[in-house]
């Protein structure tokens, strides 16, 4: 049994301002790539969800290394019951490794549109911090 986990992020948690609002520890991170998953826009929201799609193109996100059990619990709280934490394969820093990722449990809420990090940063991040992040960030 492990005391720490790697975490693959693909949406709002890729942004340090969001990640640091949720977790309390400081973690090394790196770009990571996954295969067999798709990141889609949620209808009416600025943040994405991840689904299994064996035909999807490779997806780039951010991997945080050796995240503590306490911060995993904080991430679980933040992601709410709309997501399930699963272990997936990630390529990062030239090696394959296991990482936790959050898959949507509500695929019916998704639009057939790829989510774009650049657009989120430009037009959605500020409102996300004031709404979803403010509501779902775990208490200190």
């Amino acid at each position: 049994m492990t005391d720490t986990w790697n975490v693959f992020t693909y949406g709002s948690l890729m942004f340090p301002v969001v990640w640091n609002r949720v977790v309390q520890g400081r973690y090394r991170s790196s770009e990571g790539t996954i295969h067999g998953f798709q990141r889609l826009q949620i209808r009416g929201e600025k943040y994405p969800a991840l689904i299994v799609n064996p035909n999807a193109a490779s997806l780039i996100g951010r991997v945080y290394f050796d995240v503590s059990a306490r911060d995993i619990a904080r991430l679980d709280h933040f992601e709410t019951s709309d997501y399930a934490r699963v272990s997936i394969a990630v390529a990062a820093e030239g090696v394959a490794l296991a990482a936790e990722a959050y898959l949507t449990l509500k695929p019916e809420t998704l639009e057939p549109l790829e989510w774009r990090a650049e657009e989120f940063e430009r037009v959605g991040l500020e409102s996300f911090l004031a709404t979803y992040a403010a509501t779902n960030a775990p208490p200190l």
Side-chain angles (χ1 to χ4, degrees):
M1 184 146 167
T2 182
D3 294 321
T4 63
W5 293 262
N6 300 317
V7 177
F8 177 80
T9 62
Y10 57 85
S12 65
L13 288 167
M14 293 189 303
F15 294 87
V17 67
V18 178
W19 176 262
N20 291 326
R21 185 173 281 194
V22 177
V23 302
Q24 293 181 322
R26 296 294 171 241
Y27 302 100
R28 186 173 65 82
S29 71
S30 173
E31 186 175 276
T33 304
I34 60 174
H35 305 280
F37 296 91
Q38 189 173 16
R39 174 177 48 205
L40 295 173
Q41 183 71 44
I42 298 172
R43 186 172 32 263
E45 301 294 350
K46 301 291 185 198
Y47 55 93
L50 192 67
I51 59 169
V52 173
N53 181 347
N55 300 317
S58 298
L59 191 151
I60 296 172
R62 176 144 301 277
V63 180
Y64 293 90
F65 299 98
D66 300 317
V67 177
S68 72
R70 178 183 169 120
D71 279 336
I72 290 291
R74 294 176 67 79
L75 289 162
D76 289 349
H77 180 277
F78 179 74
E79 292 292 356
T80 77
S81 60
D82 290 349
Y83 295 84
R85 181 167 42 92
V86 299
S87 186
I88 64 170
V90 178
E93 299 183 341
V95 298
L97 52 95
E100 302 298 290
Y102 291 88
L103 296 181
T104 186
L105 294 174
K106 295 188 170 187
E108 69 279 3
T109 66
L110 302 179
E111 298 283 354
L113 302 169
E114 294 286 336
W115 181 83
R116 304 277 183 237
E118 305 80 22
E119 183 176 340
F120 175 77
E121 185 173 30
R122 195 177 74 253
V123 300
L125 181 57
E126 188 174 321
S127 66
F128 179 83
L129 289 168
T131 57
Y132 185 96
T135 302
N136 295 305
L140 295 174

